[in-house]
Amino acid sequence: MTEVPTTYHWTPDGFVRAWAAGAFNGRVELIEGEVWTVVIGGWHGFAVLRVAECLPRKGFRKSNGTLPTAGSLPDPDCWIVRANAEPIGKIGARIDVWDSKDVPLVIEISDETVVADLNVKSKLYARGGYAVYWVITKDAVYEHTEPRVSGYAVVRKFLPGERIPVRYADTDIAVDDLLFDE
């Protein structure tokens, strides 16, 4: 007889309790009930700081904390929240829940995780109702807009030499300023 492997589906509350109890080694996030290891290389860290420095902040705050989304607990590399926004809830004692209307931009810096960021996470953030999601790679910026339950309706690729709109600030940024060369 063949045994069927049992897969555990984590809830956000269960994940937070396990994390607080020290159940995980290293940095992890909860994506659609699964625990994912967060992969961060040298290029990634430099790119995150470069992107954060480029983003306008007047009337907004920048974060890289956990952003509860559609039953998951992803750790985007950067996200923007209105400066006057207040959390609408909490998961555990430390994770704030935000209204997606107060979070106009979510960003993943992507190298080893580009396939998951462009596919799984884009659908996750779209279901969460976030207006704009960027995936920044070494070569391009992918802008996702018009969130739907099934994913973003519009995906545009911006290349070096082009400018990408920063919709929440009614401005744009040179793609070259967002890309980090090693």
Side-chain angles (χ1 to χ4, degrees):
M1 178 185 342
T2 304
E3 287 188 38
V4 177
T6 304
T7 303
Y8 186 77
H9 183 87
W10 290 87
T11 65
D13 287 328
F15 176 85
V16 168
R17 283 193 308 275
W19 177 81
F24 305 114
N25 292 327
R27 189 168 165 195
V28 294
E29 60 188 345
L30 179 66
I31 305 297
E32 297 180 337
E34 295 179 7
V35 176
W36 286 15
T37 300
V38 176
V39 179
I40 299 175
W43 168 83
H44 182 275
F46 290 115
V48 169
L49 292 177
R50 181 176 180 125
V51 168
E53 289 170 354
C54 290
L55 295 171
R57 64 171 243 188
K58 186 174 183 180
F60 295 89
R61 294 180 285 165
K62 302 172 191 176
S63 180
N64 68 345
T66 300
L67 183 62
T69 302
S72 292
L73 298 174
D75 283 330
D77 293 305
C78 185
W79 50 278
I80 304 299
V81 64
R82 295 183 198 293
N84 61 353
E86 295 289 331
I88 59 172
K90 272 200 171 315
I91 297 176
R94 299 176 59 181
I95 300 176
D96 291 328
V97 177
W98 298 90
D99 187 320
S100 63
K101 294 179 195 102
D102 290 325
V103 179
L105 177 61
V106 178
I107 301 170
E108 293 284 359
I109 307 298
S110 192
D111 191 6
E112 294 92 350
T113 60
V114 69
V115 172
D117 291 342
L118 288 172
N119 294 290
V120 177
K121 284 192 174 179
S122 69
K123 290 176 184 165
L124 178 70
Y125 293 130
R127 278 196 316 273
Y130 300 104
V132 180
Y133 168 54
W134 289 355
V135 175
I136 300 176
T137 68
K138 291 181 178 180
D139 305 313
V141 179
Y142 296 85
E143 179 196 52
H144 300 71
T145 58
E146 299 183 31
R148 307 279 190 271
V149 173
S150 60
Y152 285 96
V154 178
V155 179
R156 290 183 57 200
K157 182 179 181 180
F158 290 86
L159 298 170
E162 297 179 326
R163 298 188 72 81
I164 187 168
V166 182
R167 298 170 191 277
Y168 72 88
D170 198 27
T171 190
D172 58 33
I173 296 176
V175 169
D176 295 294
D177 291 344
L178 296 172
L179 302 181
F180 179 79
D181 294 335
E182 289 187 89

